[in-house]
Amino acid sequence: MARIILGITGGIAAYKACEVIRLLVSLGHDVLPVPTRGAERFVQAETFAALARNPVPALDAAGLYPHLQRADLVVVALLTAHTMARIAHGLADDVLTETVLAHDGPLLVAPAMNTRMWEHPATRANLALLHERGVEIVGPASGELAEGEVGVGRMAEPGEIVGRIDVLLGQSRTLEGLDVVVTAGGTREPIDSIRFIGNRSSGRMGLALADEAHKRGARVTLLAANVSASFPPGVEVVSTPTAADLEREALRRAGADVILMAAAVGDYRAAAPVDGKRAKDGDAWQVELTPTTDVVRALGERRTATQILVAFGAEHGAAGLERKRGMLTEKNVDLVVYNDVGRDDIGFDSVDNEVTLVTADGEAHVPLAPKPAIAAAVLDEVERLLEQRR
Ligand SMILES: Cc1cc2nc3c(=O)[nH]c(=O)nc-3n(C[C@H](O)[C@H](O)[C@H](O)COP(=O)(O)O)c2cc1C
């Protein structure tokens, strides 16, 4: 049982917070609801208090201010654009924002708002601040919004929010005992001793996947190709700067239960890199490129009946998506995570991503979200596929 402070802010989805409270209480958690004044325009505090079987805090009996109550986890569901901005900037002008600022443990938020509010640069910047500080973000989903518009902005469903809470509380070790290999970053293929051919991959997507798999109880090995961001705790890291390094280390681990190929592996390397540094003599420099091994294909050829192999593909537009569909059979992979790099706000080197999950069962679109939220969606899909194999 955990003590959970549940913040609720002012949007239509406040009624869904009632279901979140009900589910948490049924799982035996001690839930303290903290609605904002805005939330109480939609649902009365008494409703939250009755469902939680806990009073909505004023000063408590021991004389402690409610915002100084300790909790294992603070959740804000729903989170409005307004309170997201307040939290991002450290404001503390009501009990909920005071509570968030005084809390030194994990924070999970479930944003819900109109699509235009969600896509506004101010909201994107605030979300990036929360993300940088390690705040866990669940949703929003796309679909019909309360005002009748269709788009991204619906609060994640209560069951999904409670699932994320379980993961954060370490109660959902759904990948316990499994070996998971994740590749991250971009390989660099030397053309002389100091120059290379590389790509713009930052490694953030792979890091988020490794972190999420570790939180779900897996033994995680991260094959890191020139990743500059910090590594998640509890994950074994093997440096694989070139495509050849990554190929060798990945094939050594070809028997892992789950392999997530998030790294951008160079398709070509210099046939004959120059020894030492090539002088700057003003002459043209012809570099012959030769293809590297297709590591995903090599792993696909070795894939076992129970293993899940996931490939990531960055391409342009609908034609790219069609090619990714083909990879399922051509390269014998279970799941292709496709992102359209035709857009400049997602994918390579960005905080957010938006992907399509392609499997033999069909396709699922994961709307624009920080990479940790995308990682959670990818691993949910991996778990679904593992379940099918059992
Ligand atoms: C009918 C109605 C629905 C609203 N729904 C949302 C919403 O889903 N998301 C959001 O960010 N703001 C929404 N708002 C605006 C917020 O209620 C408003 O910004 C308020 O100041 C938020 O305060 P709080 O975050 O302290 O609760 C809505 C307002 C109204 C009148």
Side-chain angles (χ1 to χ4, degrees):
M1 186 192 86
R3 181 161 175 77
I4 299 169
I5 292 179
L6 183 79
I8 307 121
T9 63
I12 307 272
Y15 77 91
K16 287 207 222 166
C18 298
E19 180 64 4
V20 175
I21 297 175
R22 201 189 61 74
L23 289 170
L24 291 174
V25 169
S26 73
L27 291 170
H29 296 302
D30 179 19
V31 182
L32 184 69
V34 182
T36 59
R37 252 184 238 291
E40 290 195 51
R41 289 164 69 198
F42 296 87
V43 179
Q44 294 274 311
E46 281 82 351
T47 309
F48 301 127
L51 288 166
R53 299 171 202 160
N54 255 331
V56 167
L59 287 177
D60 78 5
L64 277 177
Y65 286 89
H67 68 276
L68 298 182
Q69 302 238 14
R70 308 301 297 226
D72 300 299
L73 174 68
V74 173
V75 180
V76 188
L78 82 130
L79 175 69
T80 54
H82 177 239
T83 297
M84 181 192 290
R86 292 191 293 156
I87 294 174
H89 295 279
L91 300 187
D93 58 352
D94 65 3
V95 177
L96 176 60
T97 48
E98 287 162 357
T99 303
V100 168
L101 206 55
H103 174 64
D104 54 8
L107 171 64
L108 172 70
V109 298
M113 63 197 72
N114 171 277
T115 307
R116 278 166 281 129
M117 291 168 85
W118 174 248
E119 286 173 354
H120 193 282
T123 306
R124 306 313 305 163
N126 291 332
L127 191 73
L129 280 174
L130 296 190
H131 169 62
E132 271 166 33
R133 287 188 206 127
V135 174
E136 298 279 337
I137 298 154
V138 56
S142 63
E144 191 174 340
L145 306 175
E147 323 79 78
E149 290 183 37
V150 175
V152 182
R154 277 169 70 96
M155 188 175 89
E157 289 306 316
E160 191 186 351
I161 295 172
V162 173
R164 298 286 289 154
I165 291 172
D166 277 350
V167 171
L168 285 173
L169 294 173
Q171 288 166 355
S172 181
R173 297 177 66 79
T174 41
L175 296 176
E176 185 85 64
L178 297 189
D179 283 310
V180 173
V181 173
V182 182
T183 68
T187 60
R188 294 177 178 175
E189 309 309 321
I191 56 173
D192 72 4
S193 61
I194 61 163
R195 302 179 178 97
F196 56 82
I197 298 173
N199 61 65
R200 285 168 47 209
S201 175
S202 66
R204 286 200 195 102
M205 192 63 236
L207 292 177
L209 286 161
D211 191 30
E212 182 69 22
H214 171 67
K215 283 180 184 155
R216 295 182 187 207
R219 281 184 300 272
V220 182
T221 307
L222 180 72
L223 306 186
N226 312 296
V227 175
S228 50
S230 51
F231 295 115
V235 165
E236 187 199 354
V237 179
V238 178
S239 177
T240 54
T242 67
D245 295 326
L246 194 139
E247 175 193 351
R248 184 187 65 247
E249 297 300 329
L251 293 185
R252 276 179 62 186
R253 294 167 177 80
D257 299 293
V258 180
I259 304 181
L260 298 138
M261 294 290 292
V265 184
D267 296 324
Y268 294 91
R269 61 177 174 78
V274 173
D275 267 343
K277 182 188 172 200
R278 186 194 190 279
K280 181 179 161 188
D281 54 15
D283 290 346
W285 181 4
Q286 304 265 356
V287 179
E288 188 190 334
L289 299 178
T290 183
T292 58
T293 304
D294 184 335
V295 186
V296 171
R297 185 183 293 276
L299 290 168
E301 283 161 6
R302 294 163 175 76
R303 184 163 74 82
T304 66
T306 53
Q307 181 184 55
I308 304 297
L309 176 58
V310 183
F312 284 68
E315 289 207 45
H316 291 257
L321 177 59
E322 198 49 50
R323 268 194 296 279
K324 295 300 142 193
R325 286 193 189 110
M327 273 176 78
L328 292 175
T329 44
E330 276 162 33
K331 298 195 184 179
N332 197 24
V333 303
D334 302 283
L335 166 62
V336 180
V337 182
Y338 170 67
N339 72 294
D340 181 351
V341 284
R343 294 169 48 175
D344 57 10
D345 56 337
I346 57 167
F348 279 132
D349 208 19
S350 64
V351 172
D352 293 338
N353 208 352
E354 178 174 335
V355 299
T356 304
L357 305 180
V358 185
T359 64
D361 304 328
E363 277 149 36
H365 182 243
V366 185
L368 188 65
K371 286 178 177 170
I374 301 285
V378 170
L379 286 177
D380 285 349
E381 188 64 14
V382 166
E383 285 181 12
R384 190 186 66 79
L385 293 167
L386 281 166
E387 198 58 42
Q388 270 183 1
R389 300 284 162 81
R390 283 186 187 132

